[in-house]
Every structure is written in structure tokens, then in C-alpha cells.
Amino acid sequence: MNLRAINTELALLLEAALGISANIWLKLQADYNMQVAKADSSFMNRLANIRKIAAML
């Protein structure tokens, strides 16, 4: 299945077609993106390293 991210233009098109606020579509996409990032162990290790460095400042 080829899924497409919801961008601003698509969110506005969905709002026009379905009457569901574009902001809701964009928030759903942002929430999904956050879940994907948090599931990436490599990224989370990188984030932990940045937090360690920032704590030393």
C-alpha cells in the first residue's frame, strides 16, 4: 500500500471535501510522525546523546 503524508494542501482539500478541519488532519499527521520517530531506536539514541550534552551546558 502506498500511503501519502498529509501536507497542508491535502489537509485543506480534505477539509473542503469532508468538512473536517484541516487542523485536525495536520495534527493527526504530526502525531503519527512523532510515533514513528519515537519507534526509531537509532534516532532515540541520537536524541539521548543531545540531551546529555545539553544537560552539561
PDB file of all heavy atoms in Angstrom, residues 12-25:
ATOM      1  N   LEU A  12      -6.245  20.814   3.440  1.00  0.00           N
ATOM      2  CA  LEU A  12      -7.265  21.777   3.005  1.00  0.00           C
ATOM      3  C   LEU A  12      -8.238  21.149   2.016  1.00  0.00           C
ATOM      4  O   LEU A  12      -9.449  21.442   2.041  1.00  0.00           O
ATOM      5  CB  LEU A  12      -6.599  23.013   2.401  1.00  0.00           C
ATOM      6  CG  LEU A  12      -5.901  23.920   3.416  1.00  0.00           C
ATOM      7  CD1 LEU A  12      -5.023  24.946   2.710  1.00  0.00           C
ATOM      8  CD2 LEU A  12      -6.907  24.593   4.328  1.00  0.00           C
ATOM      9  N   LEU A  13      -7.748  20.278   1.136  1.00  0.00           N
ATOM     10  CA  LEU A  13      -8.629  19.572   0.204  1.00  0.00           C
ATOM     11  C   LEU A  13      -9.590  18.646   0.953  1.00  0.00           C
ATOM     12  O   LEU A  13     -10.783  18.590   0.642  1.00  0.00           O
ATOM     13  CB  LEU A  13      -7.803  18.768  -0.811  1.00  0.00           C
ATOM     14  CG  LEU A  13      -7.023  19.581  -1.846  1.00  0.00           C
ATOM     15  CD1 LEU A  13      -6.064  18.684  -2.610  1.00  0.00           C
ATOM     16  CD2 LEU A  13      -7.982  20.291  -2.794  1.00  0.00           C
ATOM     17  N   LEU A  14      -9.064  17.939   1.944  1.00  0.00           N
ATOM     18  CA  LEU A  14      -9.917  17.063   2.747  1.00  0.00           C
ATOM     19  C   LEU A  14     -10.957  17.868   3.519  1.00  0.00           C
ATOM     20  O   LEU A  14     -12.123  17.459   3.628  1.00  0.00           O
ATOM     21  CB  LEU A  14      -9.064  16.228   3.703  1.00  0.00           C
ATOM     22  CG  LEU A  14      -8.225  15.137   3.058  1.00  0.00           C
ATOM     23  CD1 LEU A  14      -7.222  14.574   4.048  1.00  0.00           C
ATOM     24  CD2 LEU A  14      -9.102  14.046   2.478  1.00  0.00           C
ATOM     25  N   GLU A  15     -10.546  19.026   4.037  1.00  0.00           N
ATOM     26  CA  GLU A  15     -11.479  19.897   4.739  1.00  0.00           C
ATOM     27  C   GLU A  15     -12.618  20.319   3.806  1.00  0.00           C
ATOM     28  O   GLU A  15     -13.792  20.276   4.182  1.00  0.00           O
ATOM     29  CB  GLU A  15     -10.750  21.124   5.277  1.00  0.00           C
ATOM     30  CG  GLU A  15     -11.651  22.098   6.014  1.00  0.00           C
ATOM     31  CD  GLU A  15     -10.895  23.312   6.514  1.00  0.00           C
ATOM     32  OE1 GLU A  15     -10.407  24.095   5.673  1.00  0.00           O
ATOM     33  OE2 GLU A  15     -10.791  23.461   7.735  1.00  0.00           O
ATOM     34  N   ALA A  16     -12.266  20.701   2.588  1.00  0.00           N
ATOM     35  CA  ALA A  16     -13.282  21.135   1.630  1.00  0.00           C
ATOM     36  C   ALA A  16     -14.221  19.988   1.252  1.00  0.00           C
ATOM     37  O   ALA A  16     -15.433  20.182   1.139  1.00  0.00           O
ATOM     38  CB  ALA A  16     -12.604  21.698   0.372  1.00  0.00           C
ATOM     39  N   ALA A  17     -13.659  18.793   1.100  1.00  0.00           N
ATOM     40  CA  ALA A  17     -14.461  17.649   0.661  1.00  0.00           C
ATOM     41  C   ALA A  17     -15.276  17.027   1.788  1.00  0.00           C
ATOM     42  O   ALA A  17     -16.415  16.606   1.572  1.00  0.00           O
ATOM     43  CB  ALA A  17     -13.546  16.591   0.040  1.00  0.00           C
ATOM     44  N   LEU A  18     -14.699  16.964   2.979  1.00  0.00           N
ATOM     45  CA  LEU A  18     -15.325  16.216   4.068  1.00  0.00           C
ATOM     46  C   LEU A  18     -15.865  17.075   5.201  1.00  0.00           C
ATOM     47  O   LEU A  18     -16.577  16.580   6.070  1.00  0.00           O
ATOM     48  CB  LEU A  18     -14.322  15.202   4.642  1.00  0.00           C
ATOM     49  CG  LEU A  18     -13.739  14.204   3.643  1.00  0.00           C
ATOM     50  CD1 LEU A  18     -12.671  13.361   4.306  1.00  0.00           C
ATOM     51  CD2 LEU A  18     -14.848  13.345   3.046  1.00  0.00           C
ATOM     52  N   GLY A  19     -15.465  18.361   5.217  1.00  0.00           N
ATOM     53  CA  GLY A  19     -15.930  19.248   6.273  1.00  0.00           C
ATOM     54  C   GLY A  19     -15.223  19.035   7.603  1.00  0.00           C
ATOM     55  O   GLY A  19     -15.691  19.507   8.630  1.00  0.00           O
ATOM     56  N   ILE A  20     -14.102  18.293   7.582  1.00  0.00           N
ATOM     57  CA  ILE A  20     -13.315  18.063   8.802  1.00  0.00           C
ATOM     58  C   ILE A  20     -12.137  19.030   8.759  1.00  0.00           C
ATOM     59  O   ILE A  20     -11.391  19.071   7.777  1.00  0.00           O
ATOM     60  CB  ILE A  20     -12.826  16.603   8.878  1.00  0.00           C
ATOM     61  CG1 ILE A  20     -14.023  15.653   8.910  1.00  0.00           C
ATOM     62  CG2 ILE A  20     -11.942  16.393  10.106  1.00  0.00           C
ATOM     63  CD1 ILE A  20     -13.666  14.187   8.753  1.00  0.00           C
ATOM     64  N   SER A  21     -11.961  19.798   9.809  1.00  0.00           N
ATOM     65  CA  SER A  21     -10.962  20.852   9.859  1.00  0.00           C
ATOM     66  C   SER A  21      -9.588  20.385   9.390  1.00  0.00           C
ATOM     67  O   SER A  21      -9.105  19.307   9.784  1.00  0.00           O
ATOM     68  CB  SER A  21     -10.854  21.380  11.294  1.00  0.00           C
ATOM     69  OG  SER A  21      -9.740  22.238  11.425  1.00  0.00           O
ATOM     70  N   ALA A  22      -8.922  21.211   8.601  1.00  0.00           N
ATOM     71  CA  ALA A  22      -7.564  20.922   8.142  1.00  0.00           C
ATOM     72  C   ALA A  22      -6.613  20.778   9.327  1.00  0.00           C
ATOM     73  O   ALA A  22      -5.676  19.977   9.284  1.00  0.00           O
ATOM     74  CB  ALA A  22      -7.084  22.034   7.201  1.00  0.00           C
ATOM     75  N   ASN A  23      -6.876  21.529  10.390  1.00  0.00           N
ATOM     76  CA  ASN A  23      -6.018  21.438  11.575  1.00  0.00           C
ATOM     77  C   ASN A  23      -6.050  20.047  12.199  1.00  0.00           C
ATOM     78  O   ASN A  23      -5.031  19.566  12.704  1.00  0.00           O
ATOM     79  CB  ASN A  23      -6.429  22.481  12.619  1.00  0.00           C
ATOM     80  CG  ASN A  23      -6.050  23.876  12.188  1.00  0.00           C
ATOM     81  OD1 ASN A  23      -5.072  24.078  11.490  1.00  0.00           O
ATOM     82  ND2 ASN A  23      -6.834  24.850  12.613  1.00  0.00           N
ATOM     83  N   ILE A  24      -7.190  19.402  12.163  1.00  0.00           N
ATOM     84  CA  ILE A  24      -7.293  18.040  12.699  1.00  0.00           C
ATOM     85  C   ILE A  24      -6.443  17.087  11.871  1.00  0.00           C
ATOM     86  O   ILE A  24      -5.710  16.258  12.414  1.00  0.00           O
ATOM     87  CB  ILE A  24      -8.766  17.576  12.756  1.00  0.00           C
ATOM     88  CG1 ILE A  24      -9.509  18.373  13.823  1.00  0.00           C
ATOM     89  CG2 ILE A  24      -8.864  16.071  13.010  1.00  0.00           C
ATOM     90  CD1 ILE A  24     -11.004  18.127  13.866  1.00  0.00           C
ATOM     91  N   TRP A  25      -6.542  17.198  10.541  1.00  0.00           N
ATOM     92  CA  TRP A  25      -5.738  16.334   9.668  1.00  0.00           C
ATOM     93  C   TRP A  25      -4.248  16.536   9.910  1.00  0.00           C
ATOM     94  O   TRP A  25      -3.479  15.577   9.987  1.00  0.00           O
ATOM     95  CB  TRP A  25      -6.071  16.595   8.196  1.00  0.00           C
ATOM     96  CG  TRP A  25      -7.464  16.198   7.817  1.00  0.00           C
ATOM     97  CD1 TRP A  25      -8.481  17.032   7.502  1.00  0.00           C
ATOM     98  CD2 TRP A  25      -7.984  14.869   7.731  1.00  0.00           C
ATOM     99  NE1 TRP A  25      -9.620  16.301   7.222  1.00  0.00           N
ATOM    100  CE2 TRP A  25      -9.332  14.972   7.346  1.00  0.00           C
ATOM    101  CE3 TRP A  25      -7.437  13.599   7.934  1.00  0.00           C
ATOM    102  CZ2 TRP A  25     -10.143  13.850   7.156  1.00  0.00           C
ATOM    103  CZ3 TRP A  25      -8.253  12.484   7.743  1.00  0.00           C
ATOM    104  CH2 TRP A  25      -9.580  12.620   7.369  1.00  0.00           C
TER     105      TRP A  25
END
